[in-house]
Structures are given as C-alpha cells and as structure tokens.
Amino acid sequence: MKIFIDTANLNEIKTAQDLGVLDGVTTNPSLMAKEGISGKENVLLHYKNICNLVLDNVSAEVISVDYDGMIKEGLELSKIDPKIVVKVPLTADGIKATKYLSSKDIRVN
C-alpha cells in the first residue's frame, strides 16, 4: 500500500511527511488556487517547494487538454525536480501525450 496526500498545503504535507508513512503528494491547479497560489511562476515554485518536503512522487497536473499543450507543460513540469510525476487527463490526446512523455523517461500518471 502507498499513501499519498491530496493537497497543495505545505503545512499539511510536512505534517504527513513527519508521520513517516507518506509516499507522495498529488495536487492540481484547483488545490493550488485553494492555497492562494496563482500565476505560472508561483505555481512552478510551489511544486518545487513541495518536492523539497517529500522523498518522492509529486504529481503535477497539466492544464492543457490538447496534445501539444500537454507535451509542452509536461516537459516543463518534469524539469522542476526528478520527483515530479506529470498528471495528464485520460483522453485520446492524454494517452498520446503519456506515450510521448514516457518515451522521454518522464514519469506520468
């Protein structure tokens, strides 16, 4: 069993990490907005801050719904930290994007 916390709140993530059972974090744009984080640079920085708190597996979701946009965002997100797992929608374009990103050794869910 693996335990993931679904939040963008750094205090919640730190608390979960301190319990010693956290396998990763899943987050998305709506959870970022809930924490008052907006703007591309702020979101990317926040993903980095999350990566600095956990040992591995930080799911970062693309916003685009088209193949080219998902690829562009996925490549950008993957450069933040090796802990990033790019989250794409389960659509035809998302499946194609998953195949492409995976072929570049980028972790995807």
Side-chain angles (χ1 to χ4, degrees), residues 50-93:
I50 293 170
C51 288
N52 290 337
L53 289 176
V54 300
L55 300 176
D56 200 8
N57 301 312
V58 176
S59 290
E61 187 173 337
V62 299
I63 297 170
S64 295
V65 295
D66 64 286
Y67 174 79
D68 291 331
M70 285 186 248
I71 295 300
K72 180 180 177 189
E73 287 180 49
L75 292 170
E76 186 171 34
L77 289 169
S78 72
K79 291 177 184 173
I80 294 171
D81 191 280
K83 298 173 189 172
I84 292 290
V85 181
V86 178
K87 190 185 325 184
V88 299
L90 185 58
T91 62
D93 277 353

Side-chain angles (χ1 to χ4, degrees), residues 8-65:
N9 182 288
L10 296 177
N11 291 326
E12 291 175 0
I13 295 167
K14 183 172 180 349
T15 298
Q17 180 65 40
D18 289 346
L19 291 173
V21 297
L22 188 65
D23 292 301
V25 176
T26 63
T27 191
N28 59 49
S30 63
L31 292 171
M32 291 279 190
K34 182 178 173 184
E35 296 302 316
I37 301 154
S38 61
K40 182 179 175 179
E41 294 306 316
N42 290 331
V43 168
L44 296 177
L45 177 61
H46 199 73
Y47 279 129
K48 183 62 178 172
N49 291 335
I50 293 170
C51 288
N52 290 337
L53 289 176
V54 300
L55 300 176
D56 200 8
N57 301 312
V58 176
S59 290
E61 187 173 337
V62 299
I63 297 170
S64 295
V65 295

